[in-house]
Structure formats: C-alpha cells, structure tokens
Amino acid sequence: MPSRLVRTIDEFGAQPRNQDGRGLTAAAREIVGRTLKHIETAIRTSGGRDNLAREARRLLKSLAHIDDFETTAQRASDFFGEVLKAGRRRARETPVCKPQTHVWGDLHGVGEIRLCRVASVADLQ
C-alpha cells in the first residue's frame, strides 16, 4: 500500500468533521473501509488484459499521487461501479439454460412452427 494513501487516510480521520467524542465517526470509518475494499477489488482485477484491468491499474497508480482522500474514495467508487456494470453485462450474455428447439407442428399456409428456448437475457432482448 502506498505510504501516501496511509497518510491521506490519517489526515482524513484527523479532520474535525470526521471526529466525535470517542474518535473516528462511524460514517468516516465506513467510507475508509469501503474505499479499501474497492482498492482490494482493483488489486484482484489488475492482472487481466481487458479494459477493466487497465482501469484497475490506472486507479492503483493514482494512489501514489493523490493527496486528498475524498478524491481517492471517489475514484475507487467510480472504478467499483465499472466492475458492477461489467458483471451485469457478463450476466446478461451468459446462458441460463441450454438452447433448445422444438418442432411444434405444421400450420397450413405458414409452414413449420418451431419453439426456441431463450437461453440468456441478451437473446431475449
């Protein structure tokens, strides 16, 4: 983890708006935890060769240069949004069941009627 990221987290936690009488507020702790989970996702994703891996590497490189934790949190959140969109795209195109075709019969003047099972959301659309 870049030392600058540790320093920006410490500075974020030291701000008066993120402190209460007991220390760090629950909301600030939640923001830091969520951001670190998004960064962990970027680390796992960065090994590939697709567009998402390129964005993950870009986020990880930027951690060493950003001085503001809010900016880091926003970039990590934006990256995680892209991860979710890619997952939804992949789920739409993945077949849910085997594609099958059944011959229903012949209709006079129309010809053979076939019923085809829709195997994925993309096929349905």
Side-chain angles (χ1 to χ4, degrees), residues 31-80:
I31 290 170
V32 170
R34 186 180 321 120
T35 301
L36 291 176
K37 285 183 181 181
H38 294 337
I39 291 171
E40 181 183 356
T41 301
I43 291 170
R44 283 194 314 262
T45 308
S46 66
R49 295 192 177 273
D50 59 350
N51 205 15
L52 195 58
R54 192 174 308 116
E55 291 297 320
R57 287 190 296 272
R58 182 180 295 160
L59 171 65
L60 294 173
K61 286 178 186 177
S62 73
L63 295 177
H65 303 287
I66 300 174
D67 287 331
D68 183 34
F69 183 73
E70 285 87 6
T71 306
T72 300
Q74 184 60 45
R75 286 190 182 183
S77 178
D78 292 344
F79 168 74
F80 195 70

Side-chain angles (χ1 to χ4, degrees), residues 2-125:
S3 60
R4 184 169 286 195
L5 177 62
V6 175
R7 190 172 54 234
T8 58
I9 292 173
D10 290 340
E11 290 170 0
F12 176 74
Q15 294 174 354
R17 66 182 173 168
N18 296 325
Q19 293 283 328
D20 58 8
R22 300 170 295 167
L24 195 62
T25 62
R29 188 176 296 117
E30 183 180 328
I31 290 170
V32 170
R34 186 180 321 120
T35 301
L36 291 176
K37 285 183 181 181
H38 294 337
I39 291 171
E40 181 183 356
T41 301
I43 291 170
R44 283 194 314 262
T45 308
S46 66
R49 295 192 177 273
D50 59 350
N51 205 15
L52 195 58
R54 192 174 308 116
E55 291 297 320
R57 287 190 296 272
R58 182 180 295 160
L59 171 65
L60 294 173
K61 286 178 186 177
S62 73
L63 295 177
H65 303 287
I66 300 174
D67 287 331
D68 183 34
F69 183 73
E70 285 87 6
T71 306
T72 300
Q74 184 60 45
R75 286 190 182 183
S77 178
D78 292 344
F79 168 74
F80 195 70
E82 292 297 321
V83 169
L84 292 178
K85 283 196 291 189
R88 282 189 218 112
R89 261 192 313 272
R90 193 173 298 123
R92 268 196 312 270
E93 295 172 1
T94 302
V96 177
C97 56
K98 282 187 346 186
Q100 294 178 350
T101 303
H102 299 284
V103 177
W104 188 62
D106 289 328
L107 192 60
H108 183 66
V110 176
E112 187 176 72
I113 305 289
R114 292 181 182 206
L115 301 175
C116 298
R117 177 185 279 178
V118 178
S120 67
V121 177
D123 290 345
L124 180 62
Q125 291 174 341

